[in-house]
Amino acid sequence: MEVIQSFTIDHTHLKPGIYVSRVDKGFTTFDLRITEPNKEPAVAPAAIHSIEHLMATWFRNSRAKEDVVYVGPMGCLTGMYIIMTGEYTVEDMRQLTMECLEWILTQDEVPATRPEACGNYLLHDLPMCKWECARYLDRLKNDFHCEYTKLQITLEDGKVFADA
Ligand SMILES: [Zn+2]
């Protein structure tokens, strides 16, 4: 099995921000990195589940709604994936995400938290969701990162192999 592209990124130097992790077949995968991997606590499962419901609701009602393919949490619980069609830059996604986070901070409930609408409807935590969103919003505004640190491996013959 080949090592997939996202596992070659050096996650020990990855700062919270927004990254393009893949561009293929007209789809762009944006990594919305909320916490610093392996350095800060990951987002709690209930909080990221609430982020998913709220973020998906906002993006699918936004001016970009026709281009939103997928919104979902990372398995490592350090961020969200958003897959878009069309031409979106990291800066476009930063603006959209900041608007989304501002909206989340005004919400008093998580949408679709009924057993008919959600596979684990008790696993929600709006206060922690808002805490994470407030911190992420501050980071997008004041300490924004969007460039991957490439993983570099120096081979025995001295050649440097880099990938990201
Ligand atoms: Zn759900």
Side-chain angles (χ1 to χ4, degrees), residues 90-102:
V90 161
E91 187 54 35
D92 295 332
M93 291 304 290
R94 181 189 183 199
Q95 293 302 324
L96 286 163
T97 302
M98 288 193 299
E99 284 181 46
C100 171
L101 296 170
E102 304 262 18

Side-chain angles (χ1 to χ4, degrees), residues 18-32 67-70 81-90 93:
I18 296 177
Y19 301 82
V20 173
S21 68
R22 294 188 66 92
V23 180
D24 38 15
K25 301 185 179 77
F27 299 98
T28 305
T29 303
F30 291 94
D31 289 10
L32 277 60
D67 299 321
V68 178
V69 177
Y70 173 77
Y81 294 118
I82 298 188
I83 302 175
M84 303 288 288
T85 60
E87 300 290 317
Y88 287 86
T89 64
V90 161
M93 291 304 290

Side-chain angles (χ1 to χ4, degrees), residues 49 52-53 112 117-121 123-124:
H49 189 193
E52 179 195 27
H53 278 227
C118 173
N120 196 348
Y121 77 104
L123 186 75
H124 284 283

Side-chain angles (χ1 to χ4, degrees), residues 8-158:
T8 67
I9 292 159
D10 186 351
H11 283 70
T12 64
H13 295 96
L14 199 50
K15 301 287 185 195
I18 296 177
Y19 301 82
V20 173
S21 68
R22 294 188 66 92
V23 180
D24 38 15
K25 301 185 179 77
F27 299 98
T28 305
T29 303
F30 291 94
D31 289 10
L32 277 60
R33 193 68 62 167
I34 296 172
T35 69
E36 191 169 351
N38 304 312
K39 301 230 168 83
E40 295 175 336
V43 181
I48 207 162
H49 189 193
S50 297
I51 292 173
E52 179 195 27
H53 278 227
L54 285 156
M55 195 170 267
T57 297
W58 188 88
F59 269 88
R60 292 191 183 286
N61 284 280
S62 74
R63 61 185 179 279
K65 64 183 176 184
E66 300 297 330
D67 299 321
V68 178
V69 177
Y70 173 77
V71 178
M74 295 177 180
C76 61
L77 304 176
T78 66
M80 299 287 295
Y81 294 118
I82 298 188
I83 302 175
M84 303 288 288
T85 60
E87 300 290 317
Y88 287 86
T89 64
V90 161
E91 187 54 35
D92 295 332
M93 291 304 290
R94 181 189 183 199
Q95 293 302 324
L96 286 163
T97 302
M98 288 193 299
E99 284 181 46
C100 171
L101 296 170
E102 304 262 18
W103 176 79
I104 289 174
L105 295 177
T106 68
Q107 297 306 294
D108 297 322
E109 62 182 65
V110 180
T113 50
R114 291 167 285 107
E116 306 81 43
C118 173
N120 196 348
Y121 77 104
L122 296 175
L123 186 75
H124 284 283
D125 185 342
L126 183 60
M128 269 314 291
C129 161
K130 288 167 109 171
W131 187 89
E132 294 284 1
C133 288
R135 186 176 63 165
Y136 189 42
L137 178 61
D138 179 63
R139 287 170 158 177
L140 294 185
K141 284 181 176 169
N142 299 312
D143 187 24
F144 184 60
H145 296 271
C146 60
E147 298 282 341
Y148 279 123
T149 304
K150 291 181 191 301
L151 178 64
Q152 293 200 333
I153 300 167
T154 305
L155 303 174
E156 280 179 11
D157 61 6

